[in-house]
Amino acid sequence: MKTLTLLTLLLLSSNSMASDHIDGPITTKHAVSDITDLYAFPTPGKPGFLTVILNTYPIVPSNGHFADKVSYEISLREASVGTSIKASAGTRISCSFYTPYDHDKHAVQCLSDRGLKATAKVNHLGPETSSSPMRLFAGLRSDPFFFNSDWALAVSNKHTIPAAKSSNTMDQMNVLSIVMDLDLRAALGPAHSKTLALAAQTLTQDGPGMPVRRLDRVGRPEITNVSLVPQDREDLRDLFNQLAPFQDPRTLSGKFHGRLVNNISYYDGLDGKMDWNPVMKESLVSILLDDFLVVDMSKPCGRDYFLEIERALLAGVPHQSCGGRRPGDDIMDTLFTYYVNAGNGARLRDGIDRPYREVSQKFPYLAPADTSASARLKAFVARRLLQKK
């Protein structure tokens, strides 16, 4: 039960982090709308297609389901990389669910504001249609996020870098996933940019004519739970999650800038040397405030290319990969290493290098959920403790 104890401590800590899982009081109270992770990468074996995965509802029970009162929205924009990363025009894809009491009839419909449309039965993997510009899956899957919570909490809060240890806090955890393969010519037009920017949000409306409320949002992983970690200061995560995708955080609060500068300085000092000079630090913070995933469809794509485009930009060299984020990427090691040594030292490791269940190169990429008795018990206890918080 050690993993359960670690997970509980992680989830109940006000300074916790687990990608975008449970990243603030608001999302903790609305678990079904809590975005855990956003992934985007060129679709394997399908040139011109982009795969997008939006995961929600951390530690979801085996009978958990999407909410018909929540809209799950992905924003996809064309982008350019020069002296900075700029996002321009694009499209929004909004997914809504029909959730009657009979689970066999649950269904999802995703619509883009440029006319793309796809529907699917929840938890049903239909055959691929070669002529379809959007292949869609929605359902319960094994959570592909992985990390060692003891290690991460020590680095982010206890001024130390522990030895690596093979202890995955996310073992046996499941999520609700929306997976789509998108034909970019149909989604953005035939002359679309090869460089793309993505972010996502969950929205709800209390009734017809009522204001639309934002419940959660995400771009790059760990902006809230690592980059903006409170460290006994004001918790800015809910405030950050109220930003619309591609909204400049500077329009809402200057607090984000100060927190990022302070936290990067904190991480930078953990190895006893300072690698981020003031100019570099400001450039990094500026990139982090523009919170979206960046994918270059024209570059090679493989495992652990997360943040390569941003790192190359700060280094003043051309990027060499697709960037983006794949479900098997070890983003925790990548992010902490970059914050601590700016790429000027050995890669830091928490001891966990792959998901609890291996991901696939084939649609829908994520492994089936773990519905064993031990997984159900672990999730049940963790949810009960969260409810008591």
Side-chain angles (χ1 to χ4, degrees):
M1 296 296 286
K2 182 178 180 182
T3 301
L4 176 57
T5 302
L6 292 176
L7 179 67
T8 301
L9 290 173
L10 167 74
L11 297 180
L12 297 181
S13 168
S14 63
N15 295 333
S16 67
M17 80 285 298
S19 192
D20 206 66
H21 299 59
I22 313 177
D23 60 330
I26 290 179
T27 55
T28 301
K29 295 176 182 178
H30 302 280
V32 70
S33 65
D34 185 355
I35 299 174
T36 66
D37 288 288
L38 174 66
Y39 303 90
F41 51 92
T43 303
K46 295 180 69 174
F49 276 71
L50 176 74
T51 295
V52 182
I53 301 174
L54 181 64
N55 287 345
T56 67
Y57 203 159
I59 55 174
V60 61
S62 58
N63 63 347
H65 58 81
F66 294 94
D68 55 10
K69 293 183 179 180
V70 176
S71 176
Y72 303 80
E73 185 176 284
I74 296 162
S75 294
L76 170 63
R77 294 193 178 187
E78 299 184 63
S80 61
V81 179
T83 56
S84 61
I85 305 171
K86 299 294 186 183
S88 55
T91 188
R92 291 181 299 170
I93 302 170
S94 182
C95 298
S96 57
F97 288 82
Y98 172 65
T99 56
Y101 289 108
D102 183 349
H103 281 230
D104 290 338
K105 295 182 180 179
H106 286 194
V108 58
Q109 181 180 80
C110 295
L111 297 169
S112 84
D113 54 13
R114 294 196 178 195
L116 288 187
K117 178 180 178 180
T119 59
K121 294 180 180 179
V122 172
N123 290 319
H124 176 71
L125 182 59
E128 182 175 9
T129 303
S130 59
S131 61
S132 174
M134 184 193 301
R135 189 179 187 189
L136 180 63
F137 171 85
L140 186 71
R141 306 305 278 184
S142 177
D143 193 338
F145 183 66
F146 55 98
F147 83 133
N148 179 333
S149 65
D150 277 352
W151 189 92
L153 285 169
V155 174
S156 64
N157 287 280
K158 298 180 180 179
H159 300 268
T160 186
I161 304 175
K165 186 176 181 180
S166 181
S167 177
N168 184 6
T169 305
M170 305 308 294
D171 277 0
Q172 298 186 290
M173 293 291 97
N174 301 317
V175 287
L176 295 179
S177 297
I178 300 172
V179 184
M180 58 184 70
D181 288 346
L182 287 171
D183 183 342
L184 291 173
R185 289 175 60 89
L188 295 172
H192 67 83
S193 170
K194 296 298 183 182
T195 306
L196 307 169
L198 295 98
Q201 63 181 341
T202 49
L203 306 167
T204 192
Q205 196 172 15
D206 296 325
M210 299 292 288
V212 174
R213 294 187 292 113
R214 183 171 297 102
L215 297 172
D216 199 11
R217 53 95 63 209
V218 69
R220 296 183 185 90
E222 298 298 353
I223 294 298
T224 47
N225 283 338
V226 170
S227 306
L228 291 171
V229 63
Q231 293 183 337
D232 297 325
R233 293 172 290 186
E234 179 186 1
D235 194 338
L236 302 177
R237 294 176 299 173
D238 278 345
L239 185 62
F240 192 83
N241 284 334
Q242 291 307 300
L243 293 166
F246 298 99
Q247 179 183 346
D248 187 342
R250 302 164 189 85
T251 66
L252 186 63
S253 172
K255 295 179 180 179
F256 302 127
H257 176 274
R259 177 65 53 81
L260 288 171
V261 169
N262 289 335
N263 283 354
I264 298 302
S265 297
Y266 161 81
Y267 289 123
D268 188 17
L270 290 179
D271 59 355
K273 59 185 179 69
M274 304 304 290
D275 293 285
W276 291 97
N277 65 49
V279 174
M280 291 172 56
K281 192 184 305 178
E282 281 294 330
S283 297
L284 173 61
V285 167
S286 180
I287 287 176
L288 295 176
L289 287 173
D290 291 331
D291 182 28
F292 45 77
L293 281 179
V294 187
V295 183
D296 188 337
M297 300 293 292
S298 69
K299 298 292 185 180
C301 206
R303 187 170 174 176
D304 281 331
Y305 283 142
F306 166 68
L307 215 63
E308 193 270 332
I309 295 176
E310 293 89 338
R311 297 199 313 262
L313 175 61
L314 289 179
V317 299
H319 62 273
Q320 302 298 319
S321 77
C322 69
R325 183 188 179 193
R326 299 170 65 92
D329 287 353
D330 193 344
I331 63 104
M332 296 297 276
D333 286 3
T334 296
L335 195 63
F336 278 120
T337 299
Y338 194 51
Y339 284 178
V340 170
N341 65 34
N344 298 323
R347 183 174 175 87
L348 303 184
R349 295 188 61 252
D350 66 355
I352 304 298
D353 301 321
R354 59 183 56 86
Y356 165 64
R357 288 188 166 178
E358 286 292 346
V359 297
S360 170
Q361 290 291 302
K362 296 182 179 180
F363 189 90
Y365 310 104
L366 305 185
D370 186 344
T371 56
S372 65
S374 60
R376 293 197 302 270
L377 175 61
K378 180 177 178 178
F380 172 77
V381 174
R383 287 194 306 275
R384 288 295 297 269
L385 289 169
L386 271 175
Q387 291 167 2
K388 292 178 180 180
K389 183 180 177 182

